[in-house]
Amino acid sequence: MISYFVRRFLLIVPTFLGITLITFIILQVVPGGPLEMELMKLRGMGAPGGEVGPTGTGTSGAINIPESALEEMKRFYGFDLPIHERYIRWLGNLLSFDLGRSYVYAEPVWDVITQRFPVSIYFGLIGFILSYAICVPLGVMKAVKNGSVFDFTSSVIVFAGYAMPGFAFGAIMLVLFGGGSFWDVFPLGGFRSDDFEYLSFSQQILDQLYHTVLPVAAYLTGSFATLTILTKNSVIENLSQDYVKTAFAKGISEKKVIFKHALRNSLIPIATGLGHFLSLVLAGSFLIEKVFNIDGMGLLGFNSIIQRDYPTVMGILVISSFLMLIGNIISDMLYAVIDPRIRFK
Amino acid sequence: MSTILEVIDLETQFKTDDKFVKAVDKISFTLNRGETLGIVGESGSGKSVSVFSIMRLIPDPPGKITGGKIFYDSKDSGRVDLLSITEKQMLHYRGNEISMIFQEPMTSLNPVFRCGEQVVEAIELHQKVSHQEAKERTLNLFNEVKLPNPERIFQAYPHQLSGGQKQRVMIAMAMSCNPHILIADEPTTALDVTVQATILDLMRQLRDEIGMSIIFITHDLGVIGEIADKVAVMYKGKIVEQGTTLDIFSNPQHPYTKSLLACRPPLGIRLKKLPVISDFMNEDENGNMVEVNASVEQVVNSVIVSEKETQDRRNALMNNAPRLRVKNLKTYFPSTKNFFGKVLDWVRAVDDVSFDVYPGETLGLVGESGCGKTTLGRTILRLVDATDGEVIYKDKDIFSFKGDDLKEMRKNMQIIFQDPYSSLNPRLTIGSAILEPMKIHGIYSNDRERKDKVFELLEKVNMEPSHFNRYPHEFSGGQRQRICIARALAVNPEFIICDESVSALDVSVQAQVLNLLIKLREELHLTYIFISHDLSVVKFMSDRMVVMNQGVIEEMGPADEIYNNPQKEYTKKLIEAIPKGDIETISERAKRRAKLLEEV
């Protein structure tokens, strides 16, 4: 089995090259690149989607750009080289852990991305833990009480959440609890209050939680259904297995049969998703972040694409695909750990 | 001899589609200390439901125990009615004083816990011992149930053991708290005949040593003859006959009991067809039983085949040129590979096997699980690739077929699998399942004609045309196997491989399916290769028999000759393992047991 995982790790290299190569080419070939955007700005036509542009607009009249300046700009963006050389150069920098500088933020891409890690990890982790902590027990309850009123009502709620987009749910909650015409319970948005640094430690915790409730609720609404129903079906299936009969015949109480014997087997298909907790550092949803005014990974990703901030786009891609590939392998390993019947060859 | 369990008028019902069905209908029996009671009956006769009722393990809903009393004479707390105590009190008896083993050793152990820990759990649940003591007890138990290398088995997960080993672990678990009653629900049905013999042997030995009582459930009266002191015969939820094993075997009263005795393939003689239930009893329009007044001997004697007839048939068959020739066939599977996927070692599933099959003949292929008989069958049909050798069908090399030739071969050669539950697509009606192969091979010009043919086939396998639009789950195992036969026949094949086709069926149903296969062979001039682990079934079905072991042929020859005069130790072992059910052995065993029981 070790040789299987060694092979899997080795296969990361070609997969990774494939992902980056294809994205790199698509990004650079599509029209409307950073150079064109810059020129448009200079010519005073205003940049599309320029609301978040870092450089001020307002230059009036058309300006003729001298050839030498154009060359200079091309060199700045690296467009003076053919595309394969550009890729190889980018790859070479990557090997020395240099993701380049962001065109928009004029900072190293690594710094731009890592600045947003805390926000992503915070929301990602809370969402991840909460969804497992709620869905697994809920699924077990639903399985044990299959067909009951409780089972039916919880299904209705869970599926309603599944059907509703998270940002829409977030918006509704803001209307209800954000201090508009109804109740003033939670803040309208932001990650923390502006005066966060001046608060005492316990106040800081409260303030953080106060800002967390609504966005996390919005993140979670859609994720309940799959996990809950998966758990439920898995438990029901396992409760009808022969070994459960054996456990009952041993004289074990019903509770222990369910939680010791049936649940462990039911968790096998669920636990395999755990490998992807690594990707949490990049978790984020553009729409939800927009609704709650949080400066997270979702917004960054969206804006970098709109503003043709190639180094940042590629930086996010590199990190996320790498974590995804590792996460897949971890999932497989977990699978082998939890289920002794699994042997990879 | 004191009574340990007394069941009085037990009634258990199941709710199906708003009506209640009595799965167990007012049954009464007693079990004495140290005694073994066999409960015998076909699937659905209510035998498992009765013992699950005793354990109070009937799933509610849909099931419910609706009447009766079950008095259990506990050593500590005296006589209790198991049906009137609380669930919490019941936990004390379950697995402790009354324990149970099940039919499917493959699935009865929890796949994610080590075998040893599962037994330790049972010990710790009922006894005040330390984990270390429980572990030592488990290792001792593994020794007692004759598991090789108990330390290794303790650490092993269930999937790493064979079926027989798993059943031994289950027995160790059931024995772990020195139960007063052991309930065994078809404990040997899923096992090979040879493994069944060793498990029965073990149970007899443990019982005689410890003096516990056993309720042994099976569909096979032959197995009852091997282990039980007395028998209760169940049919449609009722006990129709009770008595000592010797009485039941030597003087059966109820026609159903007679049919169970007669439907086992006999060993000393050759029959045209096996006696079935309808030879002994029928139902009139009102569903009442009508007894056909016949004894077991009368029915058996009416279908007996003389030695000369057997000889003549074989001579006639061998006069033709062989239909199928298998020459030096080898099928190997990779067992270990190195880092780059190069095969380092092989499993030799079929290793240099040669034989001929003549038109109209049934060639029997017998051997234990893992001997390579299934792989051999599949290699012949090109469902598995051969490593080397030739298979010649009607003078043509099967391995050279491509395109249309291959399609033609697929039409001519069919296979019927072991498990009728998984070999039918649950989402296809049985009509379309039978129709599909005709469509693939372009038999008949339109679906109208094909449908008529399906009706004809359904009648041929004793099913109703009205079954056309129904789904597999609506049928019993025997009916499903008949559907599989109809599907195989749909393309008018000449040659059929029956791969353990009756091993998953009750003996009474097995007899019906075997008779059907023989009838079809004569009517449609079919040639069979009949594969099974049970030498008695293979001997009944085949003209000639091949005994296979570890990928090679041990011996080959006319079926009766091999049975009467086996040349190899392996063949003798297979014959030895068959439950014979002969009166002398049973009466001798009964005498010995009577003495033992007096001491209890």
Side-chain angles (χ1 to χ4, degrees), chain B residues 258-276:
Chain B
K258 290 181 195 169
S259 64
L260 285 183
L261 271 175
C263 68
R264 280 188 63 86
L267 290 163
I269 45 173
R270 178 161 279 269
L271 301 184
K272 272 195 213 68
K273 66 186 197 71
L274 287 170
V276 290

Side-chain angles (χ1 to χ4, degrees), chain A residues 303-314:
Chain A
N303 286 339
S304 339
I305 290 173
I306 293 296
Q307 297 166 0
R308 306 294 189 274
D309 188 357
Y310 291 172
T312 310
V313 174
M314 288 305 289

Side-chain angles (χ1 to χ4, degrees), chain B residues 6-235:
Chain B
E6 190 175 3
V7 175
I8 304 167
D9 290 335
L10 176 68
E11 189 183 274
T12 304
Q13 303 195 350
F14 277 85
K15 196 180 179 191
T16 49
D17 303 329
D18 295 327
K19 69 169 193 248
F20 286 93
V21 179
K22 281 184 189 164
V24 172
D25 193 0
K26 290 207 164 41
I27 62 162
S28 305
F29 61 82
T30 55
L31 178 69
N32 292 323
R33 230 169 257 287
E35 197 176 42
T36 300
L37 166 75
I39 301 181
V40 69
E42 61 196 7
S43 305
S45 61
K47 51 193 193 319
S48 288
V49 177
S50 358
V51 290
F52 274 94
S53 302
I54 295 171
M55 292 291 271
R56 296 232 328 235
L57 286 174
I58 299 289
D60 177 13
K64 206 171 179 69
I65 300 171
T66 47
K69 295 205 177 327
I70 298 170
F71 289 111
Y72 167 66
D73 194 17
S74 166
K75 268 202 174 133
D76 326 326
S77 38
R79 198 169 138 101
V80 282
D81 179 5
L82 294 181
L83 294 183
S84 61
I85 57 176
T86 63
E87 171 65 22
K88 204 169 167 209
Q89 287 171 308
M90 190 65 208
L91 288 180
H92 167 73
Y93 298 109
R94 213 185 273 149
N96 186 17
E97 298 193 18
I98 309 175
S99 61
M100 196 165 177
I101 51 178
F102 301 96
Q103 174 170 4
E104 269 300 338
M106 295 301 169
T107 50
S108 293
L109 290 167
N110 194 329
V112 299
F113 295 113
R114 294 180 196 276
C115 292
E117 291 302 330
Q118 302 195 38
V119 180
V120 166
E121 186 188 21
I123 296 174
E124 286 179 333
L125 195 65
H126 297 292
Q127 293 172 23
K128 289 191 182 67
V129 291
S130 70
H131 191 76
Q132 194 52 38
E133 281 172 293
K135 194 182 162 181
E136 272 158 30
R137 275 221 61 184
T138 304
L139 289 173
N140 283 337
L141 282 163
F142 283 175
N143 232 337
E144 273 171 49
V145 298
K146 301 198 174 60
L147 279 164
N149 200 345
E151 285 281 350
R152 189 186 67 83
I153 303 274
F154 189 98
Q155 296 297 335
Y157 287 101
H159 71 275
Q160 294 164 328
L161 307 185
S162 71
Q165 288 175 328
K166 275 186 241 191
Q167 201 59 297
R168 280 167 200 269
V169 172
M170 281 297 291
I171 293 174
M173 188 191 293
M175 303 296 300
S176 62
C177 299
N178 300 318
H180 301 161
I181 303 177
L182 173 68
I183 296 175
D185 184 8
E186 304 251 15
T188 59
T189 305
L191 305 171
D192 270 12
V193 182
T194 44
V195 183
Q196 162 170 293
T198 59
I199 294 286
L200 288 175
D201 206 38
L202 173 71
M203 289 183 72
R204 270 194 300 256
Q205 203 184 328
L206 290 173
R207 167 190 75 182
D208 292 351
E209 276 168 22
I210 301 165
M212 64 176 169
S213 312
I214 299 180
I215 300 179
F216 194 104
I217 293 182
T218 176
H219 63 87
D220 186 352
L221 254 179
V223 175
I224 292 279
E226 295 284 304
I227 193 158
D229 301 311
K230 60 182 190 185
V231 187
V233 182
M234 275 192 90
Y235 182 65

Side-chain angles (χ1 to χ4, degrees), chain B residues 173-418:
Chain B
M173 188 191 293
M175 303 296 300
S176 62
C177 299
N178 300 318
H180 301 161
I181 303 177
L182 173 68
I183 296 175
D185 184 8
E186 304 251 15
T188 59
T189 305
L191 305 171
D192 270 12
V193 182
T194 44
V195 183
Q196 162 170 293
T198 59
I199 294 286
L200 288 175
D201 206 38
L202 173 71
M203 289 183 72
R204 270 194 300 256
Q205 203 184 328
L206 290 173
R207 167 190 75 182
D208 292 351
E209 276 168 22
I210 301 165
M212 64 176 169
S213 312
I214 299 180
I215 300 179
F216 194 104
I217 293 182
T218 176
H219 63 87
D220 186 352
L221 254 179
V223 175
I224 292 279
E226 295 284 304
I227 193 158
D229 301 311
K230 60 182 190 185
V231 187
V233 182
M234 275 192 90
Y235 182 65
K236 292 194 171 166
K238 291 194 168 80
I239 292 182
V240 293
E241 186 168 1
Q242 289 197 63
T244 66
T245 309
L246 189 58
D247 280 347
I248 295 283
F249 271 76
S250 54
N251 188 19
Q253 296 301 311
H254 196 273
Y256 181 67
T257 317
K258 290 181 195 169
S259 64
L260 285 183
L261 271 175
C263 68
R264 280 188 63 86
L267 290 163
I269 45 173
R270 178 161 279 269
L271 301 184
K272 272 195 213 68
K273 66 186 197 71
L274 287 170
V276 290
I277 295 174
S278 61
D279 289 326
F280 296 92
M281 57 195 270
N282 281 306
E283 274 184 3
D284 62 15
E285 300 98 68
N286 304 324
N288 297 318
M289 184 191 78
V290 183
E291 186 171 347
V292 180
N293 217 342
S295 74
V296 174
E297 288 76 29
Q298 280 169 337
V299 174
V300 169
N301 285 336
S302 70
V303 287
I304 210 159
V305 182
S306 73
E307 257 177 60
K308 189 175 175 306
E309 284 174 282
T310 314
Q311 192 89 41
D312 289 348
R313 175 180 153 81
R314 195 162 54 240
N315 288 343
L317 287 172
M318 309 281 264
N319 258 339
N320 301 307
R323 173 149 292 170
L324 182 86
R325 315 196 67 159
V326 175
K327 289 185 192 168
N328 305 100
L329 192 66
K330 289 177 191 163
T331 311
Y332 295 174
F333 297 111
S335 71
T336 44
K337 290 180 183 174
N338 70 4
F339 184 78
F340 299 100
K342 190 168 178 275
V343 179
L344 299 175
D345 202 6
W346 300 89
V347 178
R348 293 168 164 74
V350 176
D351 201 5
D352 203 4
V353 166
S354 308
F355 57 83
D356 295 339
V357 188
Y358 294 89
E361 188 190 28
T362 301
L363 181 82
L365 201 55
V366 66
E368 295 171 286
S369 296
C371 74
K373 54 191 194 304
T374 293
T375 310
L376 174 58
R378 291 182 185 200
T379 312
I380 292 172
L381 293 184
R382 282 185 64 179
L383 297 173
V384 171
D385 285 332
T387 311
D388 196 23
E390 276 182 307
V391 176
I392 313 286
Y393 183 75
K394 284 183 163 176
D395 298 325
K396 280 184 197 142
D397 181 7
I398 282 183
F399 296 152
S400 68
F401 286 161
K402 278 192 193 93
D404 285 349
D405 283 344
L406 185 62
K407 202 172 169 189
E408 179 69 17
M409 178 210 120
R410 291 258 177 265
K411 182 179 107 49
N412 288 333
M413 304 173 86
Q414 287 287 311
I415 184 166
I416 302 166
F417 296 103
Q418 169 170 8

Side-chain angles (χ1 to χ4, degrees), chain A residues 287-342:
Chain A
L287 287 164
I288 292 175
E289 284 171 13
K290 192 94 186 156
V291 168
F292 289 101
N293 190 24
I294 299 163
D295 192 11
M297 209 55 80
L299 266 182
L300 177 69
F302 179 78
N303 286 339
S304 339
I305 290 173
I306 293 296
Q307 297 166 0
R308 306 294 189 274
D309 188 357
Y310 291 172
T312 310
V313 174
M314 288 305 289
I316 293 176
L317 182 84
V318 163
I319 298 174
S320 69
S321 48
F322 187 72
L323 291 178
M324 191 68 114
L325 290 169
I326 301 278
N328 276 336
I329 297 177
I330 292 179
S331 286
D332 280 359
M333 285 175 168
L334 278 175
Y335 204 19
V337 168
I338 297 167
D339 190 345
R341 287 165 296 181
I342 301 292

